[in-house]
Amino acid sequence: MTTAAISIRDVRMDYPTPDGVKHVLGGISYDVTEGHYVSIVGPSGVGKTTLLRLLTGLAQPTAGEIIVAGKRLSGAPEGLAVVLQDYTRSLMPWLTVERNIALPLRNEKISKANVRQRVKESLTEVGLEGSERAYPWQLSGGMQQRVSIARALAVRPRILVMDEPFASVDAQTRFDLEDLVLKVRADFGITTLMVTHDIDEATYLSDDVVVLYGKPATVSDIVSIDLAFPRSQVETRNDHRFAQMRTRIYEKVRGLS
Amino acid sequence: MPGVNRRIPAGLVSAVVVLLIWQVVGSVGPLAGDSFATASEAIVALIGLFADSQFWVAVFETLQMAVIGFALSMVIAVPLGLLIGLSRFTYRSTKFTFDFFKVIPPIVLIPIAILVIGPSIAMGIALAVFANVFAVAIQTAYGIRDTDPTLLETMRCYRMNAFQQIRYARLPSAAAQIAVATRLAATASLIVAVVAGLVGGAPGLGRLAALYQSAGTADRTYAVVLTLGILGLVTSRLIVRLQRRAVFWSGR
């Protein structure tokens, strides 16, 4: 039996608004298998990011619980790394690339030489070797997002959470970053949760695609993407099964089936 | 005339034009007469003052009040602003009062300051501190509160504690605001140090200008005014340069 890295159990989330209580999440249950890449898709405003905030411990659910490593989540779990859509707002412009990546390592008791080594390895992994001394704003958008990914990898995470990580870059860079994420997956097998509005991207990268739908949102479908690894932008996307899966997800997201 | 622009700074051109207008207005124009000095008279008087030790003492005293007043304002206001900015409640509750004090011109405090402190260097310093401390504290607090929530949430996800969030996100984020406040405070300190002398009898260039005026030496009065202009210009240029270095990422 495979173990669940993250267990989401009947999670509900309500927000108080001036017009009364708004029910955002209405009982979400899902187990994330260790080492899997899971995408959360759904129509705009369905509560994808809300669920992600619960998973990172930034917010607490109104009811239900999230279990990580056998413990009920209250605050960011150990071994968590995040990559957000808006890299310009999540990297610090006053720190060099090296110091940005090294910052989360302050909480770990490792020597300076070790920190430097980890930064170097992470930058190499994302294809930015030698960029230690640059400032984020001196790099292109795609490169800045690579720095965010390098920062995530440097903490050697058990769980990687990404919120629309490729939504702010151009199409070509997007393909490059998707393939980078696949490479990271092959190299480290980190349990990954990604919110995206791009169904093709979700299908291309994931083991499981979870569709949220409704007000309040529930899990309307879980699509297992059993396409072979390694995947490629040309072959995988031309596979007729890829087309079937993306169609199924599309219809669920649009509420057509 | 691209070749000319490259050799002559634009600021110099306007300065020369202003001096010429001054000269004409003071010699043939509406302000001609004994009570007003022309630009050339003021410049000659200024060169004359360079040999006068009283003048240099006054320059030193004015700078002393401005610099100490400015430094004290910063030392008090930045940590104060930091504390105020750390909680939304203290920020909101303090902002109202501080905004009130911020708009009180320090000149209205001169009668009280003369009574309590007396016309001295200390009075000039106290007025400069009063002139700046509220504005700088509020600006700092604003910068602390204005820290990008995405950045703070990223740090929370990486389990960085409140102290680390202040040290690595809130303070650098406030630095751009503090830098703006610094520039305003530096020139304000200079102005207040002069006004303290001009109106309140504190030592320095302000009192010197008042003395020259009552002695009927208009050329010397305007020579002092010229000196103040130059000091102000140098101060603001210097601060802008420091600012660009200190918050090099700002505006990127």
Side-chain angles (χ1 to χ4, degrees):
Chain A
M1 190 190 130
T2 48
T3 50
I6 306 166
S7 189
I8 304 165
R9 296 178 185 169
D10 197 26
V11 161
R12 287 159 203 275
M13 189 65 177
D14 301 335
Y15 281 121
T17 68
D19 313 320
V21 177
K22 189 181 168 203
H23 303 285
V24 182
L25 302 177
I28 307 277
S29 292
Y30 177 72
D31 279 2
V32 184
T33 306
E34 183 89 54
H36 268 202
Y37 195 117
V38 174
S39 291
I40 300 164
V41 299
S44 295
V46 76
K48 304 186 288 283
T49 297
T50 301
L51 182 58
L52 222 54
R53 288 176 63 83
L54 298 178
L55 287 164
T56 53
L58 287 174
Q60 296 301 312
T62 313
E65 56 184 9
I66 297 169
I67 308 286
V68 174
K71 276 184 284 185
R72 189 182 170 147
L73 206 63
S74 62
E78 238 176 88
L80 171 74
V82 290
V83 174
L84 306 179
Q85 173 184 347
D86 210 341
Y87 42 82
T88 54
R89 295 171 61 193
S90 124
L91 292 171
M92 302 187 182
W94 44 84
L95 297 183
T96 59
V97 164
E98 173 161 38
R99 296 200 61 200
N100 262 291
I101 297 172
L103 199 54
L105 301 177
R106 291 194 161 260
N107 288 331
E108 296 184 35
K109 289 177 177 56
I110 48 177
S111 71
K112 272 189 181 170
N114 255 326
V115 168
R116 192 159 296 162
Q117 184 59 30
R118 278 221 212 163
V119 171
K120 202 174 167 210
E121 285 169 13
S122 306
L123 279 174
T124 306
E125 177 70 20
V126 301
L128 281 180
E129 46 276 86
S131 303
E132 279 92 340
R133 301 206 179 287
Y135 284 92
W137 35 269
Q138 294 172 323
L139 306 174
S140 70
M143 284 159 92
Q144 289 184 51
Q145 200 56 310
R146 282 171 193 266
V147 174
S148 295
I149 296 170
R151 175 175 64 184
L153 296 178
V155 302
R156 308 225 165 123
R158 284 207 300 270
I159 299 166
L160 175 61
V161 164
M162 301 200 279
D163 189 3
E164 299 273 13
F166 316 128
S168 296
V169 296
D170 62 78
Q172 181 56 50
T173 307
R174 195 177 180 120
F175 291 140
D176 293 343
L177 288 175
E178 285 169 6
D179 287 336
L180 169 64
V181 162
L182 283 176
K183 176 171 102 88
V184 167
R185 184 210 149 93
D187 290 349
F188 302 109
I190 304 161
T191 307
T192 305
L193 277 151
M194 173 178 79
V195 156
T196 180
H197 62 258
D198 186 326
I199 292 161
D200 281 60
E201 178 173 284
T203 315
Y204 180 57
L205 295 175
S206 308
D207 293 286
D208 266 359
V209 175
V210 176
V211 184
L212 297 186
Y213 192 81
K215 285 184 194 298
T218 52
V219 175
S220 82
D221 200 4
I222 297 167
V223 183
S224 241
I225 313 293
D226 51 358
L227 298 166
F229 288 96
R231 293 176 183 172
S232 100
Q233 295 283 2
V234 177
E235 281 162 41
T236 308
R237 286 180 192 260
N238 279 330
D239 192 320
H240 72 281
R241 287 170 60 242
F242 181 92
Q244 284 170 358
M245 288 168 191
R246 72 169 296 283
T247 305
R248 174 174 159 191
I249 298 164
Y250 177 82
E251 287 172 351
K252 285 286 179 186
V253 169
R254 301 305 294 263
L256 300 173
S257 66
Chain B
M1 299 186 293
V4 174
N5 283 342
R6 235 172 276 146
R7 262 173 281 141
I8 303 171
L12 198 65
V13 177
S14 70
V16 169
V17 169
V18 168
L19 285 175
L20 278 175
I21 293 172
W22 179 6
Q23 184 70 21
V24 171
V25 166
S27 49
V28 295
L31 288 170
D34 284 346
S35 60
F36 192 79
T38 62
S40 59
E41 286 166 351
I43 291 168
V44 170
L46 179 61
I47 293 166
L49 284 180
F50 286 166
D52 187 345
S53 67
Q54 199 190 2
F55 170 77
W56 291 111
V57 169
V59 168
F60 177 76
E61 284 166 339
T62 294
L63 287 178
Q64 195 184 359
M65 288 187 285
V67 169
I68 296 176
F70 167 75
L72 266 180
S73 311
M74 285 299 167
V75 168
I76 297 167
V78 172
L80 186 65
L82 169 65
L83 287 175
I84 292 169
L86 286 179
S87 113
R88 199 162 75 154
F89 175 76
T90 52
Y91 177 65
R92 284 195 175 170
S93 55
T94 327
K95 194 175 184 314
F96 176 78
T97 326
F98 275 39
D99 278 341
F100 176 78
F101 280 118
K102 204 172 83 177
V103 294
I104 296 178
I107 196 167
V108 305
L109 290 176
I110 286 180
I112 308 169
I114 291 174
L115 278 178
V116 178
I117 311 171
S120 58
I121 296 270
M123 183 180 92
I125 293 170
L127 289 173
V129 169
F130 180 82
N132 294 320
V133 93
F134 300 104
V136 176
I138 275 300
Q139 194 83 0
T140 304
Y142 172 76
I144 295 281
R145 289 237 56 75
D146 194 43
T147 308
D148 196 318
T150 308
L151 197 55
L152 295 174
E153 287 190 346
T154 307
M155 294 183 87
R156 278 167 66 195
C157 286
Y158 283 109
R159 291 179 312 288
M160 311 206 73
N161 60 35
F163 174 78
Q164 290 171 322
Q165 289 176 33
I166 295 168
R167 165 80 179 75
Y168 296 106
R170 286 188 184 273
L171 268 182
S173 168
Q177 298 293 336
I178 297 172
V180 173
T182 302
R183 196 176 69 210
L184 297 175
T187 37
S189 299
L190 191 62
I191 291 168
V192 169
V194 173
V195 170
L198 201 61
V199 183
L205 287 170
R207 189 168 68 185
L208 199 62
L211 279 173
Y212 288 149
Q213 197 168 24
S214 56
T217 46
D219 54 344
R220 286 187 164 191
T221 310
Y222 287 100
V224 172
V225 173
L226 271 179
T227 312
L228 292 172
I230 294 164
L231 284 178
L233 198 66
V234 170
T235 308
S236 106
R237 282 285 164 93
L238 198 71
I239 295 278
V240 168
R241 201 169 271 197
L242 287 173
Q243 193 180 338
R244 281 208 193 111
R245 284 195 171 196
V247 287
F248 58 89
W249 65 86
S250 183
R252 304 277 180 180

